[in-house]
Each structure stands twice: as structure tokens, then as C-alpha cells.
């Protein structure tokens, strides 16, 4: 499922929907990826560990610091779908 609005994503995550992995762009309108992750971390730390951050090369020093300090996986743009699927398989335990 792909959502275009980080506020909707936060509401769905807060409602208790569970996802094996959350691919989260770092730069989004309304609520940045790091802010979304911070909100989820407060109430659902297990789910927050399942975030994989997607970035096109963070220029903002605050975002660079967040990515450097956060142990979650990261997928840099441009990426190929094979890499995205490999990460999803690791999180779901699906064999390659």
C-alpha cells in the first residue's frame, strides 16, 4: 500500500494497523519521515524499528544527522525494485 500523505500514514499506524515493513521517504509534505518515525517510536517502538528510509540524498543537516543516528536501514534513490523486494523479503522472512 502506498500513501501520498504522511498524516494519513500516521493515523493508520496509530490505529493499530501492523506492517511487516514501512518504506518511508525522508522528505514528505506535512510530516517529514524523521518526524513520522519519531511519533511512531513513542507508542510503537517495535514498528519503528521496521521503518526503512528512502532518500534521494539528504541535504538538510538535520536530516543527515537523523539518518546517521538512526540504525534503521536506508535505501538511496535511485534504486532498483530488486533491492526494495530484497529488503521486504528480509522483513517478512520470505525466501529469496
Amino acid at each position: 500500500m502506498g500513501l501520498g500523505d504522511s498524516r494519513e500514514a500516521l493515523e493508520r499506524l496509530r490505529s493499530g494497523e501492523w506492517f511487516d515493513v514501512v518504506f518511508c521517504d525522508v522528505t514528505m509534505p506535512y510530516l517529514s519521515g524523521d518526524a513520522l518515525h519519531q511519533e511512531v517510536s513513542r507508542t510503537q517502538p517495535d514498528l519503528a524499528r521496521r521503518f526503512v528510509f528512502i532518500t534521494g540524498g539528504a541535504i538538510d543537516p538535520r536530516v543527515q544527522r537523523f539518518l546517521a543516528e538512526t540504525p534503521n536501514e536506508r535505501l538511496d534513490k535511485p534504486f532498483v525494485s530488486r533491492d526494495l523486494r530484497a529488503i521486504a523479503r528480509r522483513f517478512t522472512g520470505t525466501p529469496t
Side-chain angles (χ1 to χ4, degrees):
M1 162 203 46
L3 299 175
D5 189 325
S6 54
R7 298 171 297 187
E8 182 182 353
L10 180 58
E11 287 308 311
R12 291 185 72 169
L13 294 170
R14 281 181 174 163
S15 76
E17 282 191 60
W18 179 257
F19 298 92
D20 292 315
V21 61
V22 176
F23 289 98
C24 180
D25 203 321
V26 174
T27 306
M28 298 183 289
Y30 308 115
L31 187 64
S32 65
D34 58 313
L36 177 62
H37 181 260
Q38 184 178 29
E39 287 295 319
V40 172
S41 293
R42 288 185 189 138
T43 57
Q44 298 168 284
D46 289 339
L47 183 58
R49 286 189 285 275
R50 302 178 83 71
F51 272 55
V52 174
F53 295 102
I54 298 173
T55 179
I59 297 171
D60 183 332
R62 180 188 57 79
V63 173
Q64 289 175 343
R65 190 171 42 260
F66 167 76
L67 290 172
E69 294 172 355
T70 304
N72 294 56
E73 283 192 60
R74 185 166 99 195
L75 190 58
D76 293 314
K77 294 176 188 175
F79 57 85
V80 294
S81 59
R82 174 184 65 243
D83 295 338
L84 186 109
R85 287 191 306 269
I87 291 170
R89 280 195 291 276
R90 262 198 324 279
F91 276 92
T92 62
T94 306
T96 56

